[in-house]
Amino acid sequence: MSSAQDPFYIVKEEIQESIDTLQSTFHQWERSPSDTGEQIHLTKELLVGCESIEWQVDELDKAIGVASRDPSWYGIDNVELEKRRRWTATARSQVGNMKKAVLAGKELNGGGTRRELMRMPNSHQTDTSNHYAGRDNDDFIESESDRQLLLIKQQDEELDELSASVERIGGVGLTIHEELIAQERILDELGMEMDSTSNRLDFVQKKVAMVMKKASAKGQIMMIVFLLVLFIILFVLVFLT
């Protein structure tokens, strides 16, 4: 089976595209300022993406495990199996490293926020400051609200793309399942035909033995010729039609 038709490479391409997108988002997260709405949004997006890709890689590993039980049946060898295992291990490592970095950054930012809250001024000073900064705060809140709405819209679009990718992977898995069922049915039918043919041959052999015991030498020769012709006819009918 060529790479273009192999379900493994179809799913692998989908996962690799998701990893590339995730890495791009991760680099954007690294450049974003700490404790901002943008970083919070990117953190959530990265964690969701990591969970999704880890699940897809786990499912791909399960499929490799099934194929390893009988590689020749799936048209692959042990070298190809090992190559596929290395790719899934590399993909899992890439996603795991990004996930660890995001979680570490999330905890660090959370600690920084708590320290900033402990250093806040008393209520009298805060009221005095807010008296002069109220208008600026209103403008900032309005701008931040618009930005949050835009981020939410972007997240919804990315989730839609992720959902479509999962549906495509599910369709590929369903196709593989249907192909396996069809091949199993063909094998069962072939086995039944072989059993039937074996029973017919046993029957013919028993008849030959019985006739050989009863017939004379000349009759035996004639019977052998007759049964040989009959055997050839049966062979043609069973295996060549």
Side-chain angles (χ1 to χ4, degrees), residues 12-29:
K12 173 186 174 182
E13 184 177 353
E14 294 281 351
I15 296 176
Q16 187 60 56
E17 290 178 358
S18 299
I19 293 176
D20 294 340
T21 302
L22 191 70
Q23 288 177 332
S24 176
T25 304
F26 179 74
H27 294 324
Q28 184 180 355
W29 174 83

Side-chain angles (χ1 to χ4, degrees), residues 23 28-29 40 44 52 67 69 105-106 110 112 119 123 134 146-149 151-152 162 185 190 195 197 207 231:
Q23 288 177 332
Q28 184 180 355
W29 174 83
I40 293 173
K44 293 179 179 179
S52 175
R69 298 174 187 170
K106 182 179 180 182
R119 292 198 295 267
S123 59
D146 293 339
R147 194 161 65 90
Q148 289 293 333
L149 290 175
L151 291 174
I152 291 173
L162 178 60
R185 188 181 301 112
L190 181 59
D195 292 339
T197 302
K207 288 297 183 182
F231 176 77

Side-chain angles (χ1 to χ4, degrees), residues 2-72:
S2 65
S3 299
Q5 297 175 343
D6 195 325
F8 171 82
Y9 287 100
I10 297 175
V11 178
K12 173 186 174 182
E13 184 177 353
E14 294 281 351
I15 296 176
Q16 187 60 56
E17 290 178 358
S18 299
I19 293 176
D20 294 340
T21 302
L22 191 70
Q23 288 177 332
S24 176
T25 304
F26 179 74
H27 294 324
Q28 184 180 355
W29 174 83
E30 288 181 317
R31 295 190 298 267
S32 64
S34 301
D35 294 331
T36 61
E38 180 183 4
Q39 191 183 62
I40 293 173
H41 166 72
L42 292 175
T43 298
K44 293 179 179 179
E45 181 180 344
L46 286 169
L47 293 178
V48 171
C50 288
E51 293 290 341
S52 175
I53 294 175
E54 286 176 342
W55 175 82
Q56 294 176 46
V57 174
D58 288 341
E59 292 298 315
L60 201 57
D61 262 338
K62 293 178 182 178
I64 294 173
V66 172
S68 65
R69 298 174 187 170
D70 189 3
S72 60

